[in-house]
Amino acid sequence: MKFMPVSVPQSLGPLFGLHFTLLSETEIVRLVAEHVPSPEEGVHLVVTPNIQHVALMRENGEFRKACEQAEILTCDGFPLYYYARCRGLRLPGRVTGREITQDLFAMPEALKKHRIFAVVDSERTGLVARQWACAHGMEDQFAFYVPPVGFENDPGLSGSLARLIRDHATTLLFMGVGAPRSELFVSRHRADLPPCWALCIGQSLLVALGLLPTPPFLVQRLNLEWLWRICLEPRRLTGRYVRALFGFGVAVCEDLLRLG
């Protein structure tokens, strides 16, 4: 049974095998910022699924299991959120990894009780994150690492990273290398990691640090963040989004068939 530090409302589901939290964005941010997990609690995995997660879960059973074992799951992608609503799940609203990360980085004083470790996509991201930590008097509490491609499937590399995170006495871990790598790493090394919050938040760190622009209000209001991201990185994201949309559509059909 998952142990949580406070009384958390019962989750809703299952939807694609996942049980989604009833906590709002504000409640999740406050919980992560204010609570330092104890050794008895272990790792608290936070995953913010979108249609790519659902598509990947159809192909990767280990990734599915990692998501199913998360302590907190939110509906990030708007197609997933609205499908959940159609299925009768009365969620508090969309809760995105970007919003959680931006809110946490906007409250550095509250994070000073934490020791922060960021697994990031590039040296540039790590250095900007370190500058943020230094600017707020947390230079000794912050560390980062840029893993090589395929690290999650290399026992030596992933084991070394887990030791770095443990030796830092991390209590707040940002996994910023995308799905499924982030979730697989945390799932495989739960026993090796220190008690901490493990937030699998993809590129949200880049937005929180100002390395990618925040979507304009109207884009967010119209649920067009996906189009905004494609416009920013068309070559990298267009094919990925098309595949994710197809996989999500198939998953929805399979889910409806199971319901009869």
Side-chain angles (χ1 to χ4, degrees):
M1 180 178 294
K2 298 173 184 176
F3 180 88
M4 290 297 291
V6 295
S7 178
V8 175
Q10 184 177 2
S11 57
L12 292 176
L15 182 68
F16 304 118
L18 305 178
H19 290 79
F20 291 91
T21 184
L22 284 170
L23 292 174
S24 68
E25 172 201 338
T26 300
E27 291 169 326
I28 293 171
V29 169
R30 185 168 62 244
L31 180 61
V32 171
E34 295 180 355
H35 181 76
V36 177
S38 69
E40 293 75 23
E41 295 168 31
V43 175
H44 294 322
L45 175 60
V46 180
V47 180
T48 59
N50 53 34
I51 62 172
Q52 183 187 9
H53 288 73
V54 176
L56 286 171
M57 286 195 306
R58 294 187 63 254
E59 306 167 357
N60 189 325
E62 186 182 5
F63 177 64
R64 169 184 287 277
K65 184 177 180 181
C67 291
E68 290 174 349
Q69 292 179 342
E71 279 68 24
I72 293 179
L73 280 161
T74 74
C75 273
D76 184 314
F78 85 91
L80 179 59
Y81 172 69
Y82 284 114
Y83 180 64
R85 293 293 300 269
C86 290
R87 281 282 312 278
L89 274 65
R90 298 304 175 190
L91 298 169
R94 285 183 63 201
V95 178
T96 69
R98 174 184 59 78
E99 292 168 328
I100 292 173
T101 307
Q102 284 185 302
D103 286 354
L104 286 171
F105 271 73
M107 48 195 304
E109 288 300 317
L111 297 185
K112 286 187 175 180
K113 65 178 65 175
H114 283 287
R115 293 188 61 80
I116 303 171
F117 196 105
V119 181
V120 296
D121 63 329
S122 69
E123 191 76 13
R124 178 187 179 220
T125 303
L127 292 175
V128 173
R130 183 185 296 281
Q131 290 173 0
W132 171 87
C134 291
H136 297 288
M138 292 188 285
E139 57 270 23
D140 295 331
Q141 298 163 238
F142 177 84
F144 75 90
Y145 180 74
V146 184
V149 175
F151 78 98
E152 74 280 8
N153 295 319
D154 185 312
L157 290 174
S158 59
S160 295
L161 175 55
R163 285 191 293 274
L164 286 175
I165 295 169
R166 185 177 65 244
D167 291 345
H168 184 64
T170 303
T171 61
L172 179 54
L173 171 63
F174 289 99
M175 293 296 302
V177 290
R181 293 186 293 169
S182 295
E183 293 83 356
L184 289 176
F185 170 77
V186 174
S187 178
R188 290 169 180 171
H189 291 278
R190 271 185 180 265
D192 305 317
L193 295 172
C196 65
W197 291 101
L199 277 61
C200 297
I201 38 74
Q203 286 198 312
S204 298
L205 271 176
L206 301 182
V207 180
L209 293 169
L211 295 173
L212 282 178
T214 300
F217 174 78
L218 185 60
V219 169
Q220 298 180 49
R221 188 73 174 175
L222 296 176
N223 295 313
L224 293 175
E225 293 99 331
W226 59 274
L227 183 58
W228 171 260
R229 291 192 63 196
I230 288 177
C231 290
L232 291 176
E233 301 180 87
R235 296 182 63 180
R236 188 176 76 88
L237 294 179
T238 301
R240 178 186 298 183
Y241 273 64
V242 170
R243 290 190 296 272
L245 184 60
F246 175 78
F248 177 72
V250 173
V252 167
C253 292
E254 292 173 343
D255 189 56
L256 293 174
L257 287 173
R258 281 194 295 269
L259 292 175

